[in-house]
Amino acid sequence: MDGRLRDDEVVVGGDARQRYYDSSGYGRPLEENRVALSRVEAAYLLFKGDMDSVVRDTPGSRPEADETRMGFREFLADAGDEIATRFLVYADLRDRGFYLSPAREGWVDAPRSNADFVVYPRGKGPWDDAVLYRVRVVGERADVPADELGDVVLAVVDEESEITYLETDRADLRGSSATDLPAGVPADLLDDRVLVWDPPEVLHHRGFYGQPLDDRDGDRDSALQLSLVEAAYLADDGVLSLGGGAETVRERGRAVEGERFDRRLRVYRALRERGVVPKTGFKFGSDFRTYADVESVEELGHSECLVRVLPADRVFSPRDLALDVRLAHGVRKRMIFALVGPNERITDWISVGRLTP
């Protein structure tokens, strides 16, 4: 069976609707049992031998006997760079047993600009009202704006045509960690940290703030070291009393970190307000590691998430995303990106993880 290339789709007649759409979810149905296939769908059918050739349909074309028929190789070359990586992902998902459609007008309702394909659950197809994944195809050297992530699967095609699937969702970090703290606790700013010389026990052992200066012998009267982010948060809330107040701590934070400090402080506060305890994530290459349910330091479990704080206009490379996800997966944690826009407003929380479709 042959198809005719018209503009950006391949139209197939005869019993094409029954053969392609009704039985296997290819294309979109037209009148008289015809179907329209996207270039990627047509390329896959040619590759599998389920369609014989494609003929370019142009005004004033030569008689059918003289028309040049394109097989898979010629058709793929004719499309140029437009479908090369998308074909690889389409073929991989089809070979895994999924039906999928191009995310474009006519094929799916309300297509999204950040997706190339809509993938249906196994056993479902374009005639069902069910979507499993929305997939965006990128090469390993592509730019991926942060504001285009969330509710989409990135299919990253590397230079050897291996495909890595990264699932991105919007995260809602919530916990049950909450502690009533005293007010006006004396503290001193020393270099890039704050020391509380006579800390109330609740500050560290219940609230999980700071690190005891020397707690190897279990001495609960040890001075408590606070990071600048922790100290700024506590000073803002009136828990700490130090010379110059909270603004002095923020100024020191900006001096050592620049504008990054204000973004991190904004996210730290948001996590605490959500009942989540953030602690430094330096060992894991992130800004914070988080604990959702802290009752006491003695009964502390493992942290659940790694959080990186980034400007909302951040543009990722797929390689950077893969590195972060690999690290988080290796320590059994969830990778979260907190995006902070103008005026220190958190615009989104994006979760990214490996996916095996």
Side-chain angles (χ1 to χ4, degrees):
M1 181 171 285
D2 296 334
R4 302 190 72 85
L5 179 61
R6 297 176 182 174
D7 297 324
D8 198 33
E9 58 187 33
V10 175
V11 177
V12 189
D15 64 347
R17 172 161 184 157
Q18 291 81 9
R19 178 181 296 195
Y20 296 133
Y21 181 79
D22 292 344
S23 67
S24 302
Y26 294 105
R28 61 183 179 91
L30 302 175
E31 69 281 355
E32 299 177 354
N33 277 335
R34 298 181 303 155
V35 296
L37 303 169
S38 69
R39 282 180 178 262
V40 172
E41 291 173 308
Y44 182 75
L45 289 169
L46 288 169
F47 177 68
K48 288 294 188 180
D50 293 327
M51 190 163 65
D52 297 324
S53 65
V54 171
V55 177
R56 185 180 298 280
D57 193 3
T58 56
S61 60
R62 295 171 294 175
E64 184 173 339
D66 296 330
E67 288 176 335
T68 301
R69 284 170 163 71
M70 294 182 285
F72 171 70
R73 177 178 176 179
E74 295 81 12
F75 183 73
L76 206 62
D78 180 76
D81 297 335
E82 179 188 355
I83 69 169
T85 53
R86 285 189 291 128
F87 167 76
L88 293 172
V89 173
Y90 184 91
D92 181 67
L93 291 169
R94 272 282 178 178
D95 291 347
R96 290 173 183 263
F98 293 103
Y99 288 178
L100 60 156
S101 298
R104 52 189 282 189
E105 289 288 349
W107 271 260
V108 298
D109 295 330
R112 298 180 184 177
S113 60
N114 68 338
D116 293 298
F117 299 118
V118 170
V119 181
Y120 308 104
R122 285 189 174 90
K124 302 289 185 180
W127 45 81
D128 294 301
D129 187 20
V131 173
L132 183 61
Y133 308 121
R134 299 181 190 277
V135 177
R136 178 181 177 184
V137 180
V138 296
E140 69 167 89
R141 300 178 183 88
D143 291 333
V144 182
D147 61 5
E148 294 182 7
L149 299 179
D151 303 323
V152 69
V153 172
L154 285 183
V156 183
V157 183
D158 67 23
E159 64 182 1
E160 294 185 354
S161 298
E162 294 284 343
I163 302 170
T164 298
Y165 293 96
L166 300 176
E167 186 170 23
T168 75
D169 292 305
R170 285 178 169 79
D172 185 19
L173 274 67
R174 301 284 174 180
S176 62
S177 306
T179 305
D180 292 329
L181 300 175
V185 178
D188 292 333
L189 174 61
L190 299 175
D191 193 22
D192 63 349
R193 64 207 64 231
V194 168
L195 265 68
V196 182
W197 297 105
D198 187 18
E201 181 179 320
V202 68
L203 196 58
H204 176 68
H205 291 277
R206 299 285 294 178
F208 201 15
Y209 291 95
Q211 180 72 18
L213 186 60
D214 186 0
D215 197 25
R216 286 173 295 181
D217 298 324
D219 181 6
R220 295 196 173 197
D221 294 327
S222 175
L224 189 65
Q225 307 169 84
L226 299 171
S227 71
L228 291 175
V229 168
E230 290 175 312
Y233 169 77
L234 291 170
D236 275 335
D237 284 4
V239 176
L240 296 185
S241 173
L242 41 74
E247 186 57 31
T248 299
V249 182
R250 282 195 292 270
E251 288 176 358
R252 183 65 58 85
R254 292 166 189 148
V256 298
E257 290 189 31
E259 62 183 15
R260 176 171 171 263
F261 179 79
D262 288 308
R263 287 197 297 266
R264 293 206 310 129
L265 178 58
R266 178 67 188 90
V267 171
Y268 183 93
R269 174 170 290 280
L271 290 169
R272 282 285 184 177
E273 290 173 349
R274 290 165 174 246
V276 175
V277 174
K279 298 294 287 183
T280 177
F282 176 78
K283 290 181 180 179
F284 306 106
S286 63
D287 289 289
F288 303 114
R289 68 188 195 275
T290 63
Y291 301 81
D293 305 294
V294 175
E295 294 185 2
S296 71
V297 172
E298 287 81 0
E299 300 175 5
L300 191 66
H302 293 290
S303 58
E304 301 91 11
C305 299
L306 300 179
V307 178
R308 285 191 65 195
V309 180
L310 299 170
D313 60 359
R314 172 64 178 263
V315 176
F316 290 101
S317 74
R319 183 182 298 273
D320 290 340
L321 287 172
L323 285 171
D324 284 332
V325 169
R326 171 65 72 179
L327 191 151
H329 180 76
V331 292
R332 299 181 181 181
K333 303 186 194 305
R334 184 181 174 201
M335 190 71 228
I336 307 291
F337 297 101
L339 305 180
V340 182
N343 302 317
E344 309 307 325
R345 183 176 67 88
I346 298 175
T347 61
D348 224 337
W349 303 83
I350 301 295
S351 169
V352 184
R354 287 287 296 270
L355 172 71
T356 301

